[in-house]
Amino acid sequence: MAPNSLFNLAVLSFCYLILFSPYQALGSSTRSLFVPAEINIDFNAPPPLGLCATAVSIHGYKCQEFDVQTDDGYILSVQRIPEGRAGGGGPNRPPVLLQHGVLVDGVTWLLNSPQQSLALILADNGFDVWISNIRGTRFSRRHVSLDPSKPQYWNWSWDDLVLHDLPSVTEFVFRQTGQKIHYVGHSLGTLMALASFAEGKLIDKIRSAALLSPIAYLSHMNTALGVVGARAFVGEITTMFGLAEFNPKGDAVNNFLKSLCATPGVDCFDLLTALTGKNCCLNASTVDNFLKNEPQSTSTKNLVHLAQTVRDGVLSKYDYGNANFNVEHYGESKPPVYDLRKIPHDLPLFLSYGGQDALSDGRDVATLLDSLKLHDVDKLHVQYIKDYAHADFIMGVTAKDVVYNQIVAFFRGLH
Ligand SMILES: *[C@@H]1O[C@H](CO)[C@@H](O)[C@H](O)[C@H]1NC(C)=O
Ligand SMILES: *[C@@H]1O[C@H](CO)[C@@H](O)[C@H](O)[C@H]1NC(C)=O
């Protein structure tokens, strides 16, 4: 494989992750590692076109853009693909909501060819497809009063996605369609759903959930780079960034990554394997397409919260770092735990995880499944894909045959 494509794959793996990792260390030039040399983009310019125009309409599908305001004032971009390319959308097509992971946005569902991309496959199979984009990603960098160039805009973690973004988007789709919704999440998008269900949220509006590369427990994410990254996020990083924007394309983050990659034992070159695991089935053109669109900003606080999950081995709300601050926010010295055993036992769930996924490690998935052991047997579908790693679930060229057809069948089985 050419060094450049190895490099791209490594970049890809990073972004994907949920993590925080690495690399610029090996870059010989001053440009960001995340930006392919041939692409010249002003990252501070607002994107001229939305997701519909750039990634959906070009393939001949109808697509509508919506703005959804959360109850804490963030303005989120949401897309709807109401019918398949052949048309024929009737009034009662079951709605499906797609929720992407961290450091990326909704375009991740649209990177492969139309015949291979989950969003368009669902539309062609009779579903009314809705795509969410969480706060801080390029089309959702808005708020009624806060300015994304200021730290206050970035004062949130995934607790807030559970509390505000997901309920607001779900409520919106529910009102527009008048129907309960099938949910599909990848990576952080699975954690958002599991935490919501554990809190008794969304249950009245969600018909089922398909969770790809499920992330709940992260204590076995034991790659050198991941561990060093996670340690940095619960350690010194907030003094470097404050609790502000984490922009993977910015200088501050690139310098941080350089220092991380200089840590003994951390091999930033073989990042793909080191971080996401060995993705079996990525298409080089798709990877290029990914790099034209991602990674996206998130809040430093969000990554700190994920790193706390790695450190603590439990799924809790954001830890303010000392007992007094926690008491101030929660009335308890420790952050409250999300108890996944409280997920309603009759909620139809489809979980798909990969044997090569370094983030959604099999042992952590086992812990998740253990917390679901009282789930109604006929309501829990678990799929294990030996060769798949983290990115294969949304970009794998074989994903249609291996995963998406199974999701379609799972949803159809509920009607
Ligand atoms: C961030 O939000 C928390 C509440 O979630 C609040 O207590 C804190 O003061 C905020 N910090 C800043 C810098 O706005
Ligand atoms: C890889 O992507 C390109 C561009 O979309 C496409 O033409 C090609 O068929 C894809 N290859 C596979 C194996 O899917």
Side-chain angles (χ1 to χ4, degrees), residues 295-321:
Q296 303 283 316
S297 287
T298 191
S299 72
T300 302
K301 187 175 177 178
N302 189 29
L303 295 181
V304 169
H305 191 188
L306 286 166
Q308 291 172 350
T309 308
V310 176
R311 177 192 65 186
D312 299 342
V314 288
L315 197 56
S316 308
K317 295 197 176 174
Y318 182 79
D319 188 343
Y320 282 88

Short mmCIF file of all heavy atoms in Angstrom, two decimals, residues 295-321:
data_model
loop_
_atom_site.label_atom_id
_atom_site.label_comp_id
_atom_site.label_asym_id
_atom_site.label_seq_id
_atom_site.Cartn_x
_atom_site.Cartn_y
_atom_site.Cartn_z
N PRO A 295 -12.53 15.20 10.03
CA PRO A 295 -13.35 15.16 11.23
C PRO A 295 -13.97 16.52 11.57
O PRO A 295 -13.59 17.55 11.02
CB PRO A 295 -12.35 14.74 12.31
CG PRO A 295 -11.04 15.31 11.84
CD PRO A 295 -11.10 15.27 10.33
N GLN A 296 -14.91 16.45 12.47
CA GLN A 296 -15.64 17.64 12.92
C GLN A 296 -15.25 17.96 14.36
O GLN A 296 -14.82 17.10 15.10
CB GLN A 296 -17.13 17.32 12.92
CG GLN A 296 -17.68 16.87 11.60
CD GLN A 296 -17.86 18.01 10.66
OE1 GLN A 296 -18.36 19.04 11.06
NE2 GLN A 296 -17.43 17.83 9.43
N SER A 297 -15.50 19.20 14.71
CA SER A 297 -15.24 19.61 16.09
C SER A 297 -16.19 18.94 17.07
O SER A 297 -17.31 18.56 16.72
CB SER A 297 -15.44 21.13 16.23
OG SER A 297 -14.39 21.82 15.62
N THR A 298 -15.70 18.79 18.29
CA THR A 298 -16.60 18.48 19.40
C THR A 298 -16.11 19.31 20.58
O THR A 298 -15.18 20.10 20.44
CB THR A 298 -16.64 16.96 19.70
OG1 THR A 298 -17.71 16.69 20.61
CG2 THR A 298 -15.33 16.47 20.30
N SER A 299 -16.74 19.14 21.72
CA SER A 299 -16.26 19.90 22.87
C SER A 299 -15.20 19.08 23.59
O SER A 299 -15.26 17.85 23.64
CB SER A 299 -17.41 20.20 23.83
OG SER A 299 -17.82 19.03 24.50
N THR A 300 -14.23 19.78 24.16
CA THR A 300 -13.21 19.10 24.96
C THR A 300 -13.88 18.37 26.13
O THR A 300 -13.52 17.25 26.47
CB THR A 300 -12.20 20.13 25.49
OG1 THR A 300 -11.62 20.78 24.37
CG2 THR A 300 -11.10 19.45 26.29
N LYS A 301 -14.90 19.00 26.70
CA LYS A 301 -15.59 18.39 27.84
C LYS A 301 -16.21 17.04 27.46
O LYS A 301 -16.24 16.11 28.27
CB LYS A 301 -16.68 19.37 28.33
CG LYS A 301 -17.39 18.94 29.60
CD LYS A 301 -18.36 20.05 30.05
CE LYS A 301 -19.14 19.65 31.29
NZ LYS A 301 -20.06 20.75 31.73
N ASN A 302 -16.68 16.94 26.24
CA ASN A 302 -17.26 15.68 25.77
C ASN A 302 -16.19 14.58 25.74
O ASN A 302 -16.43 13.45 26.18
CB ASN A 302 -17.85 15.89 24.36
CG ASN A 302 -18.67 14.71 23.88
OD1 ASN A 302 -19.25 13.99 24.68
ND2 ASN A 302 -18.70 14.52 22.58
N LEU A 303 -15.00 14.91 25.25
CA LEU A 303 -13.92 13.92 25.20
C LEU A 303 -13.41 13.59 26.60
O LEU A 303 -13.05 12.45 26.90
CB LEU A 303 -12.78 14.43 24.31
CG LEU A 303 -13.17 14.60 22.83
CD1 LEU A 303 -11.97 15.09 22.02
CD2 LEU A 303 -13.71 13.31 22.24
N VAL A 304 -13.39 14.59 27.47
CA VAL A 304 -13.01 14.33 28.86
C VAL A 304 -14.00 13.34 29.48
O VAL A 304 -13.61 12.38 30.15
CB VAL A 304 -12.98 15.64 29.67
CG1 VAL A 304 -12.85 15.36 31.17
CG2 VAL A 304 -11.84 16.54 29.20
N HIS A 305 -15.27 13.55 29.20
CA HIS A 305 -16.29 12.65 29.75
C HIS A 305 -16.10 11.22 29.23
O HIS A 305 -16.17 10.25 29.99
CB HIS A 305 -17.67 13.18 29.40
CG HIS A 305 -18.79 12.49 30.11
ND1 HIS A 305 -20.10 12.72 29.80
CD2 HIS A 305 -18.80 11.58 31.10
CE1 HIS A 305 -20.87 11.97 30.59
NE2 HIS A 305 -20.11 11.26 31.38
N LEU A 306 -15.81 11.07 27.95
CA LEU A 306 -15.55 9.74 27.40
C LEU A 306 -14.31 9.12 28.05
O LEU A 306 -14.28 7.93 28.36
CB LEU A 306 -15.38 9.81 25.89
CG LEU A 306 -16.67 10.03 25.11
CD1 LEU A 306 -16.38 10.43 23.67
CD2 LEU A 306 -17.55 8.78 25.14
N ALA A 307 -13.29 9.94 28.25
CA ALA A 307 -12.07 9.44 28.89
C ALA A 307 -12.34 9.00 30.33
O ALA A 307 -11.74 8.06 30.83
CB ALA A 307 -10.98 10.51 28.85
N GLN A 308 -13.26 9.68 31.01
CA GLN A 308 -13.65 9.25 32.36
C GLN A 308 -14.27 7.86 32.32
O GLN A 308 -14.06 7.04 33.22
CB GLN A 308 -14.65 10.25 32.97
CG GLN A 308 -14.04 11.60 33.29
CD GLN A 308 -15.09 12.62 33.72
OE1 GLN A 308 -16.30 12.39 33.61
NE2 GLN A 308 -14.62 13.77 34.20
N THR A 309 -15.02 7.59 31.26
CA THR A 309 -15.63 6.28 31.12
C THR A 309 -14.57 5.21 30.95
O THR A 309 -14.67 4.11 31.50
CB THR A 309 -16.58 6.28 29.90
OG1 THR A 309 -17.47 7.38 30.03
CG2 THR A 309 -17.37 5.00 29.82
N VAL A 310 -13.53 5.52 30.19
CA VAL A 310 -12.40 4.60 30.02
C VAL A 310 -11.74 4.36 31.38
O VAL A 310 -11.46 3.24 31.78
CB VAL A 310 -11.36 5.17 29.03
CG1 VAL A 310 -10.14 4.25 28.94
CG2 VAL A 310 -11.99 5.36 27.65
N ARG A 311 -11.50 5.45 32.12
CA ARG A 311 -10.78 5.37 33.38
C ARG A 311 -11.58 4.63 34.45
O ARG A 311 -11.05 3.80 35.18
CB ARG A 311 -10.49 6.80 33.87
CG ARG A 311 -9.81 6.89 35.23
CD ARG A 311 -9.82 8.33 35.76
NE ARG A 311 -11.19 8.79 36.02
CZ ARG A 311 -11.49 10.04 36.38
NH1 ARG A 311 -10.54 10.94 36.48
NH2 ARG A 311 -12.74 10.39 36.61
N ASP A 312 -12.85 4.95 34.54
CA ASP A 312 -13.64 4.50 35.69
C ASP A 312 -14.30 3.15 35.50
O ASP A 312 -14.70 2.51 36.48
CB ASP A 312 -14.71 5.54 36.03
CG ASP A 312 -14.07 6.88 36.39
OD1 ASP A 312 -12.86 6.90 36.71
OD2 ASP A 312 -14.77 7.91 36.33
N GLY A 313 -14.48 2.72 34.25
CA GLY A 313 -15.12 1.44 34.03
C GLY A 313 -16.60 1.41 34.37
O GLY A 313 -17.22 0.36 34.40
N VAL A 314 -17.16 2.56 34.65
CA VAL A 314 -18.61 2.63 34.87
C VAL A 314 -19.17 3.72 33.96
O VAL A 314 -18.45 4.58 33.49
CB VAL A 314 -18.99 2.99 36.33
CG1 VAL A 314 -18.70 1.84 37.26
CG2 VAL A 314 -18.30 4.25 36.78
N LEU A 315 -20.46 3.63 33.74
CA LEU A 315 -21.12 4.60 32.88
C LEU A 315 -21.83 5.62 33.77
O LEU A 315 -22.88 5.33 34.34
CB LEU A 315 -22.12 3.85 31.99
CG LEU A 315 -22.60 4.58 30.76
CD1 LEU A 315 -21.43 5.01 29.89
CD2 LEU A 315 -23.55 3.68 29.99
N SER A 316 -21.21 6.79 33.90
CA SER A 316 -21.75 7.80 34.80
C SER A 316 -21.89 9.13 34.08
O SER A 316 -21.36 9.31 33.00
CB SER A 316 -20.80 8.05 35.98
OG SER A 316 -20.46 6.88 36.62
N LYS A 317 -22.57 10.04 34.77
CA LYS A 317 -22.61 11.41 34.26
C LYS A 317 -21.23 12.04 34.42
O LYS A 317 -20.34 11.49 35.08
CB LYS A 317 -23.68 12.20 35.00
CG LYS A 317 -25.04 11.61 34.70
CD LYS A 317 -26.20 12.51 35.04
CE LYS A 317 -27.46 11.79 34.58
NZ LYS A 317 -28.69 12.46 34.96
N TYR A 318 -21.05 13.19 33.81
CA TYR A 318 -19.77 13.89 33.83
C TYR A 318 -19.30 14.11 35.27
O TYR A 318 -20.07 14.55 36.12
CB TYR A 318 -19.94 15.23 33.12
CG TYR A 318 -18.67 16.03 33.04
CD1 TYR A 318 -17.71 15.72 32.07
CD2 TYR A 318 -18.42 17.08 33.92
CE1 TYR A 318 -16.54 16.45 32.00
CE2 TYR A 318 -17.24 17.81 33.84
CZ TYR A 318 -16.31 17.49 32.88
OH TYR A 318 -15.14 18.20 32.81
N ASP A 319 -18.04 13.78 35.51
CA ASP A 319 -17.45 13.93 36.84
C ASP A 319 -16.77 15.30 36.92
O ASP A 319 -15.81 15.55 36.18
CB ASP A 319 -16.44 12.80 37.06
CG ASP A 319 -15.92 12.77 38.49
OD1 ASP A 319 -16.08 13.78 39.22
OD2 ASP A 319 -15.35 11.73 38.88
N TYR A 320 -17.27 16.16 37.79
CA TYR A 320 -16.69 17.51 37.90
C TYR A 320 -15.35 17.52 38.61
O TYR A 320 -14.74 18.57 38.78
CB TYR A 320 -17.69 18.47 38.54
CG TYR A 320 -18.74 18.89 37.54
CD1 TYR A 320 -19.91 18.14 37.37
CD2 TYR A 320 -18.54 19.99 36.71
CE1 TYR A 320 -20.84 18.48 36.40
CE2 TYR A 320 -19.47 20.35 35.75
CZ TYR A 320 -20.63 19.59 35.61
OH TYR A 320 -21.54 19.93 34.66
N GLY A 321 -14.88 16.36 39.04
CA GLY A 321 -13.49 16.27 39.47
C GLY A 321 -13.28 16.36 40.97
O GLY A 321 -12.25 15.96 41.46
#
